[in-house]
Amino acid sequence: MKVCNRIPESTRVIRRTGNYQPGLLWFILLIVAMTGLPVQAQDRPEDLDRQDQYVQTELQDQGDQRNQPDDQVQLDAQPGLQDQDGQKSQPVQHIQQDQKELQNEQFQQVQRDQQVRDRTAHPQLEEYLRIAAEENPELRALWHRYRSEQEKVGQVGTLPDPEVSIGYDFNPMMSETVLGRFSVSAMQMFPWFGTLESRREMQRASSEADLQQLNSRQLDLYRDIQSVWFDLSELQRQIDIANKTIDLVRELEFLVEIRYETARTGQADLLRIQMEEQRLQTMIANLEDKKNPVRVRFNALLNRESDAEVQTADEIGLRPLPFTEEELKTRLMEQNPQFDRLDARARMLQEQQNQARLQGRPGFGLGLEVMGRDFGPMSMNPEMNESFFGMATIRVPIYRSRYSAQYRQATEQLQGLDYERIHTENRLLTDLEEALERFRESERSVQLLDVELIPRAEQAYEILGDGYAAGNVRFDEVLQLQRELLNLELERIEALVRQNKAVITIESITENERIAENPVGSY
């Protein structure tokens, strides 16, 4: 700091000693001035006290600034950002607003990154989803149905085939050549202006509705695959917990055998612990049997062999929501393919109305006829050559009831489509709220089990085990608590699976990113 440069170290040493001799002081100041140090000649001891105090104050201010947040230091360092009353001026508000927007963008990016990490937490599941997009027969059928609808665009948007007529005069009055007896005419019909483009747009909207139906079914299929996969993982985790419980039971059985050999307990305790082990073995066998139909269903969704091996999750954890509840409701309306399908159907019906209006307009045809020189009465004049005739025809739609009925039909379907949209919105919002309720309930259950119930049950089990070894606790109390601990562990796995399934349901009705990640038509 400049203040430190203005105060020589020798002066501060003299001031600290308290021996302020005027002659020696002026001599030292004279030497310092000759060396070129920037020291004021009027620095007296009392001025030096004030300067030293100012230095300490500056150093303390620097320490306070280092302890402040970076954004606050930057605000304080800019002049004119605060008025005399300490209130923040307009530039400060703009800076804070920009900082909030930046924080919101960073938070959203963190959410997106977390969502990607959640999806990549089970890479084997992502691979199964890719296989389903490639091999599922229902998706493939819907895909080919969509492609077939696309091929109709070129069919409905073309002109009708021209009509060619050929006449031959079998009994001409005079005939010089055979070709002169022929008459050839061609006619091309044209619909009213804009009819062909309207047909193409109507067919494009129809194929778009089929595509959105495919996307919606694809999301439902992904939801079913993930749910069945978590069912398999839940069964496997329950088997693992039962095996660990058998290990605990065997340790307890060893303790019971020791007490039985030393005549400190009866044979009944030994039989009861053996019964408990057999019960757990039967439980594991039942869980293994439950895995078979679930595995068959999972492989059927992937169009694989029914006995194909399925890799499950080693651990099941909580899965956070990628967005807030309000954002989820907004995304439901914006990204759910069911609303896109309804929009496509609405465009199709609007074009159908337009078709009914255009078909009520006249159609016209243009043609050309060529008559040979010996065709019909032309053979009477040997000087005649081939004759060319232009033709025009007009289709007059005088029966208007059919076109009016077609227009009213499309109008009624549009009105019904509006109510179908309302029904779809209400149904999806209901599904979203139910899934959010399951999500919150499962999270509370997992938190209760992890923080309160399971730790206390484990602690109580250790206490009862020590008490039983000392002969102060009955065996039935230890066995009952061991069963409660097993039930708590199983309940925790069930809550975790419910929470993951709730998130899967929410994603299936509010997101369509997985469609872009695994498009059916790319295989």
Side-chain angles (χ1 to χ4, degrees):
M1 296 175 58
K2 293 182 179 180
V3 177
C4 294
N5 293 332
R6 292 169 49 192
I7 302 177
E9 183 64 24
S10 58
T11 305
R12 280 182 284 185
V13 172
I14 295 174
R15 184 183 57 80
R16 292 190 187 98
T17 57
N19 299 324
Y20 301 113
Q21 299 180 6
L24 181 59
L25 178 61
W26 285 108
F27 179 76
I28 294 175
L29 291 175
L30 180 60
I31 294 176
V32 171
M34 291 176 65
T35 57
L37 292 177
V39 179
Q40 297 181 358
Q42 67 271 19
D43 286 342
R44 296 184 299 274
E46 56 270 23
D47 297 332
L48 297 176
D49 290 336
R50 288 194 295 269
Q51 291 174 350
D52 224 333
Q53 184 177 3
Y54 177 75
V55 171
Q56 296 177 359
T57 304
E58 288 289 319
L59 293 176
Q60 184 177 1
D61 293 339
Q62 288 183 354
D64 295 338
Q65 290 179 358
R66 285 193 297 268
N67 295 330
Q68 291 180 355
D70 295 337
D71 53 353
Q72 185 66 30
V73 173
Q74 293 176 359
L75 292 176
D76 295 338
Q78 298 180 8
L81 295 182
Q82 291 185 352
D83 52 17
Q84 296 179 357
D85 298 333
Q87 297 179 353
K88 295 179 180 178
S89 60
Q90 191 69 19
V92 177
Q93 296 178 358
H94 286 302
I95 293 175
Q96 290 183 344
Q97 185 177 0
D98 295 339
Q99 290 177 348
K100 289 181 179 179
E101 293 177 356
L102 179 61
Q103 291 176 356
N104 292 334
E105 294 178 358
Q106 292 176 350
F107 178 72
Q108 294 177 0
Q109 182 64 35
V110 169
Q111 286 184 325
R112 289 191 291 268
D113 295 341
Q114 180 65 36
Q115 186 177 359
V116 172
R117 287 193 297 270
D118 293 337
R119 290 182 178 179
T120 57
H122 306 293
Q124 63 272 37
L125 179 57
E126 296 298 323
E127 178 63 18
Y128 289 141
L129 295 180
R130 188 195 64 81
I131 295 175
E134 180 180 358
E135 301 294 340
N136 184 265
E138 183 180 4
L139 292 184
R140 302 302 296 178
L142 292 175
W143 166 253
H144 289 293
R145 176 182 173 184
Y146 160 68
R147 292 296 301 272
S148 67
E149 288 294 323
Q150 275 190 325
E151 296 299 330
K152 291 183 180 180
V153 176
Q155 302 176 24
V156 300
T158 58
L159 291 172
D161 295 331
E163 296 180 1
V164 178
S165 300
I166 300 176
Y168 181 76
D169 191 350
F170 288 96
N171 189 20
M173 296 181 182
M174 296 180 63
S175 176
E176 296 181 0
T177 62
V178 177
L179 293 178
R181 299 181 182 184
F182 283 93
S183 172
V184 180
S185 63
M187 177 70 68
Q188 176 65 61
M189 294 299 296
F190 297 91
W192 189 256
F193 304 102
T195 302
L196 297 181
E197 182 61 28
S198 177
R199 290 176 183 174
R200 286 192 289 266
E201 290 298 327
M202 183 174 66
Q203 188 57 41
R204 290 193 188 100
S206 177
S207 61
E208 178 66 20
D210 290 338
L211 176 61
Q212 297 305 326
Q213 183 180 0
L214 167 64
N215 294 337
S216 178
R217 185 65 191 101
Q218 186 176 359
L219 289 177
D220 293 341
L221 177 65
Y222 286 170
R223 179 199 59 201
D224 296 340
I225 291 176
Q226 294 180 86
S227 298
V228 176
W229 186 79
F230 272 102
D231 288 338
L232 272 176
S233 300
E234 178 184 2
L235 292 173
Q236 184 60 47
R237 291 294 300 141
Q238 289 177 346
I239 292 174
D240 296 339
I241 292 173
N243 286 323
K244 292 180 180 179
T245 305
I246 287 179
D247 295 337
L248 295 177
V249 169
R250 288 173 179 173
E251 293 178 0
L252 187 59
E253 183 180 3
F254 178 73
L255 179 61
V256 173
E257 289 177 353
I258 293 177
R259 290 178 56 85
Y260 177 73
E261 292 174 357
T262 58
R264 289 187 296 172
T265 187
Q267 188 178 6
D269 291 347
L270 185 60
L271 294 175
R272 292 170 67 181
I273 197 65
Q274 293 175 354
M275 291 168 56
E276 185 67 17
E277 182 177 354
Q278 291 298 323
R279 188 181 70 86
L280 291 173
Q281 294 288 354
T282 303
M283 175 183 175
I284 293 175
N286 293 335
L287 292 174
E288 290 287 352
D289 286 340
K290 288 182 179 180
K291 288 174 59 178
N292 293 328
V294 180
R295 184 188 299 110
V296 171
R297 181 186 176 192
F298 183 84
N299 288 324
L301 293 174
L302 272 63
N303 195 24
R304 303 195 307 175
E305 296 294 334
S306 59
D307 57 348
E309 182 182 359
V310 180
Q311 297 180 359
T312 57
D314 297 332
E315 294 291 338
I316 302 177
L318 288 175
R319 190 172 179 178
L321 287 177
F323 301 96
T324 63
E325 295 186 11
E326 293 299 326
E327 291 174 342
L328 289 174
K329 294 178 181 179
T330 303
R331 290 174 63 87
L332 182 147
M333 302 298 299
E334 295 177 353
Q335 299 194 13
N336 193 284
Q338 298 188 35
F339 293 106
D340 296 333
R341 181 178 62 86
L342 293 175
D343 293 338
R345 287 184 56 191
R347 293 194 303 269
M348 182 185 67
L349 292 174
Q350 290 172 358
E351 291 298 334
Q352 187 173 340
Q353 285 182 327
N354 192 26
Q355 276 290 305
R357 181 178 58 85
L358 292 174
Q359 288 179 2
R361 304 288 178 86
F364 55 93
L366 299 176
L368 178 66
E369 184 177 6
V370 180
M371 289 185 179
R373 57 187 300 178
D374 296 332
F375 183 82
M378 295 181 62
S379 63
M380 297 176 61
N381 189 355
E383 303 295 332
M384 291 291 294
N385 295 323
E386 290 79 5
S387 299
F388 295 86
F389 299 92
M391 297 182 297
T393 181
I394 298 178
R395 181 183 63 86
V396 181
I398 59 177
Y399 302 106
R400 310 289 302 176
S401 59
R402 181 178 64 176
Y403 310 118
S404 300
Q406 291 177 354
Y407 187 89
R408 291 193 301 270
Q409 178 186 7
T411 302
E412 293 295 333
Q413 290 178 349
L414 276 174
Q415 293 179 355
L417 197 64
D418 293 336
Y419 289 104
E420 184 177 354
R421 184 186 302 274
I422 296 174
H423 170 70
T424 302
E425 180 180 352
N426 294 336
R427 177 174 55 82
L428 291 177
L429 286 176
T430 301
D431 295 341
L432 178 61
E433 289 296 337
E434 292 177 351
L436 289 172
E437 187 276 331
R438 293 195 300 270
F439 173 82
R440 292 188 292 264
E441 184 271 335
S442 301
E443 273 200 336
R444 287 192 295 266
S445 299
V446 173
Q447 184 178 5
L448 175 64
L449 290 167
D450 288 344
V451 178
E452 296 291 339
L453 300 184
I454 293 180
R456 294 185 179 183
E458 292 176 347
Q459 184 180 4
Y461 183 76
E462 293 179 359
I463 295 174
L464 289 179
D466 295 339
Y468 177 75
N472 299 326
V473 177
R474 298 193 311 273
F475 178 73
D476 56 349
E477 296 180 2
V478 180
L479 191 60
Q480 179 64 29
L481 189 57
Q482 183 269 328
R483 291 176 180 174
E484 292 180 2
L485 184 59
L486 173 62
N487 293 332
L488 290 176
E489 291 287 350
L490 297 177
E491 183 180 352
R492 178 180 181 274
I493 294 299
E494 293 176 359
L496 286 173
V497 171
R498 282 200 313 272
Q499 196 264 358
N500 279 269
K501 285 185 176 181
V503 176
I504 291 170
T505 302
I506 293 172
E507 290 180 349
S508 66
I509 60 179
T510 59
E511 297 183 15
N512 56 9
E513 285 83 0
R514 288 191 181 273
I515 300 176
E517 295 173 359
N518 300 310
V520 177
S522 62
Y523 304 103

